Amino acid sequence: MGSVFQAPALTAQAMPFKVLVVGGSYGGLSAALNLQDLCSGLAPRCGPKSVEGAPVIETPQFNVDITIVDERDGFYHLIGSPLALADEDYAAKSWVKYEDVPAVSQTPNIHVLHGSIKSVDQTSKTATYLPHGLVSSPENTSTISYDFLVAASGLRRVWPVVPQSLRRKQFLFEAGDHIRAATTARHGVVVVGGGAVGIEMAAELKLVQPQLKVTLVHSRDKLLSSEPLPDEVKDKSLELLLETGVEVRMSTRLDKTEEVVDEEGKKAIRVWFTDGESILADQVSLAVSRSVPATEFLGVNSTGVVDEEGYVKIQSSLAFPAETPNSADHFAIGDLVKWSGIKRCGAAMHMGYYAGNNIHQRMIETSSGKEPAFLKLDEIPAMIGLAVGKKAVSYWPASGVSAGEDVMQAFFGDDLGFSICWNHLGLGNGRKL
């Protein structure tokens, strides 16, 4: 039989509210840290900034224990993957072990478990936890009881869209091998897929290694063809990509690859396209695989929580569907939710703030009977910020299309948004990067 995991109470005077957060990326950290702020009587770090001179609104304080369960042993800056897999120095920066994230490690009532949640029972409010590295079995699993749950485990993405390593040390080896293979590519690298990931992957590789021949292949006549964006965004993205020196082949698909021997008697890859043409390359990176919601632990198609593709159905409060058990105490945020808009880290952090606020409101309701004042998520229009080499293109319905180095600086800074996200989430406990 498994054991029951009991997080230590913050004080001995009262039993804390126990909150389980599944996933420690942008959304999960946002939910945990904004909730911690509110329970400590502080303004939520991702909420609206107070106007100078305005009265301070005091929030009820609660004793809370927050447990974050993540398959990785640290915070990984997902949107920096195209650069992390092109630059070893950046790779080392992009993954920070939780013990080295001050906002997490220096908060006594926030605990991180390296492992996975295998199942959730909404009725009993319990979850089955498996530590990383162990085979799933009753002997190896334990039970975590909770008062509130936040599902923030995101999407499962394939290599090389994101690294597959679950420990920072393994990731650095994985990224290093990939980078060294590209560096020695005499015939160049072919990136297959003209979505946001493929564009950024090709552009960052060319930016870091300008001597390298980089070819992007896309099956449609427009880049970003699967996104509901104006053609002006797609055309501008192509223009910026060509400016970086990436060669672009449109309206053709990868047909097959075969290992060959080149004129120097060395191994190479002959890449064939459906238009009958072919080129030599040393590395082929696929950026076309469909991502899958990491929601197996919720019981796909069995609880009414997820749709047929595995996305979590939510109310505007970010709570699970009303017809499911204890729905008001279960929340879902980030890429795994079935909601409008393009999947973005900004939206995940925003949802995390809403979830933290709404859990705090449920605590108020539970303790005092006061009607909760939930934040409600509006429909999210299609919007994007896309890094393409030294420039970026952005689209916001209200402001239209913008592009240039100033857009790059505004949306991504000098490190593909790492410092922006780190500072927005307050991961340095007040110390900005």
Side-chain angles (χ1 to χ4, degrees):
M1 294 294 291
S3 60
V4 176
F5 174 85
Q6 296 288 351
L10 189 60
T11 68
Q13 286 75 31
M15 288 295 291
F17 283 107
K18 292 180 289 184
V19 180
L20 174 60
V21 180
V22 185
S25 191
Y26 308 105
L29 287 176
S30 177
L33 295 172
N34 281 286
L35 176 60
Q36 169 66 21
D37 290 339
L38 289 163
C39 288
S40 303
L42 303 173
R45 64 192 64 200
C46 296
K49 303 308 175 188
S50 58
V51 178
E52 187 175 349
V56 177
I57 301 175
E58 295 186 0
T59 60
Q61 298 183 39
F62 294 104
N63 197 13
V64 61
D65 256 311
I66 301 171
T67 299
I68 300 171
V69 176
D70 196 15
E71 294 182 348
R72 296 189 179 104
D73 69 358
F75 167 68
Y76 176 63
H77 183 52
L78 183 65
I79 65 173
S81 283
L83 183 54
L85 296 177
D87 184 316
E88 289 193 71
D89 289 338
Y90 184 83
K93 175 181 180 176
S94 67
W95 187 306
V96 185
K97 295 183 70 172
Y98 288 116
E99 62 196 57
D100 297 322
V101 178
V104 174
S105 61
Q106 295 175 11
T107 306
N109 57 304
I110 295 181
H111 321 277
V112 180
L113 300 179
H114 183 203
S116 58
I117 295 297
K118 306 306 291 183
S119 64
V120 166
D121 186 328
Q122 286 181 237
T123 302
S124 65
K125 291 186 180 179
T126 57
T128 303
Y129 164 69
L130 177 70
H132 172 71
L134 297 183
V135 176
S136 184
S137 70
E139 294 75 25
N140 291 334
T141 58
S142 59
T143 299
I144 302 177
S145 60
Y146 60 84
D147 297 300
F148 302 97
L149 178 138
V150 180
S153 46
L155 303 177
R156 296 201 183 282
R157 298 173 170 92
V158 299
W159 173 263
V161 175
V162 296
Q164 302 300 294
S165 302
L166 300 179
R167 292 187 182 277
R168 183 177 185 273
K169 185 176 182 179
Q170 293 172 329
F171 159 67
L172 293 178
F173 283 120
E174 182 183 24
D177 288 346
H178 181 78
I179 293 165
R180 284 186 288 277
T183 302
T184 58
R186 295 171 300 112
H187 299 292
V189 174
V190 174
V191 177
V192 182
V197 172
I199 293 169
E200 291 188 335
M201 187 184 294
E204 293 301 329
L205 198 54
K206 188 66 178 178
L207 180 65
V208 175
Q209 301 183 46
Q211 81 291 347
L212 188 67
K213 178 185 177 183
V214 181
T215 304
L216 182 135
V217 182
H218 189 54
S219 61
R220 306 298 181 87
D221 61 354
K222 297 280 187 184
L223 297 179
L224 301 168
S225 53
S226 63
E227 304 293 359
L229 296 166
D231 282 351
E232 185 181 355
V233 180
K234 302 173 181 182
D235 294 340
K236 179 57 71 172
S237 299
L238 175 60
E239 178 185 321
L240 296 186
L241 188 59
L242 291 172
E243 281 184 16
T244 68
V246 172
E247 297 181 20
V248 181
R249 301 174 73 97
M250 305 287 286
S251 301
T252 187
R253 297 176 183 272
L254 174 68
D255 183 23
K256 63 180 180 178
T257 61
E258 58 181 341
E259 190 174 286
V260 297
V261 176
D262 65 15
E263 294 177 351
E264 297 179 13
K266 297 180 179 180
K267 290 182 179 180
I269 300 171
R270 172 68 64 180
V271 182
W272 290 92
F273 305 108
T274 51
D275 59 9
E277 296 188 10
S278 69
I279 60 174
L280 279 181
D282 293 283
Q283 189 180 82
V284 178
S285 295
L286 300 178
V288 292
S289 296
R290 189 162 176 241
S291 301
V292 179
T295 53
E296 305 92 341
F297 65 97
L298 293 175
V300 177
N301 289 331
S302 63
T303 65
V305 174
V306 299
D307 69 3
E308 63 279 358
E309 295 181 316
Y311 289 95
V312 181
K313 296 178 285 187
I314 57 171
Q315 304 176 58
S316 60
S317 65
L318 294 160
F320 282 14
E323 64 274 13
T324 63
N326 293 313
S327 62
D329 300 330
H330 293 77
F331 296 80
I333 58 177
D335 288 355
L336 58 69
V337 302
K338 184 178 177 63
W339 201 259
S340 57
I342 295 172
K343 307 297 185 184
R344 300 178 303 112
C345 75
M349 292 187 287
H350 181 66
M351 290 181 193
Y353 155 56
Y354 271 33
N357 176 88
N358 293 349
I359 290 173
H360 186 255
Q361 287 295 313
R362 281 286 293 133
M363 291 177 177
I364 295 173
E365 181 183 24
T366 300
S367 60
S368 68
K370 182 180 178 181
E371 187 73 19
F374 291 143
L375 292 174
K376 300 293 184 71
L377 189 65
D378 293 327
E379 292 297 313
I380 302 174
M383 58 183 74
I384 196 170
L386 185 68
V388 191
K390 294 181 179 180
K391 297 180 180 180
V393 58
S394 69
Y395 170 71
W396 231 255
S399 57
V401 181
S402 300
E405 292 186 13
D406 58 330
V407 178
M408 182 68 170
Q409 195 59 223
F411 278 78
F412 299 97
D414 298 318
D415 54 9
L416 265 190
F418 180 88
S419 296
I420 292 173
C421 293
W422 180 276
N423 294 333
H424 182 65
L425 289 170
L427 298 184
N429 259 1
R431 295 195 298 274
K432 291 192 173 185
L433 291 177

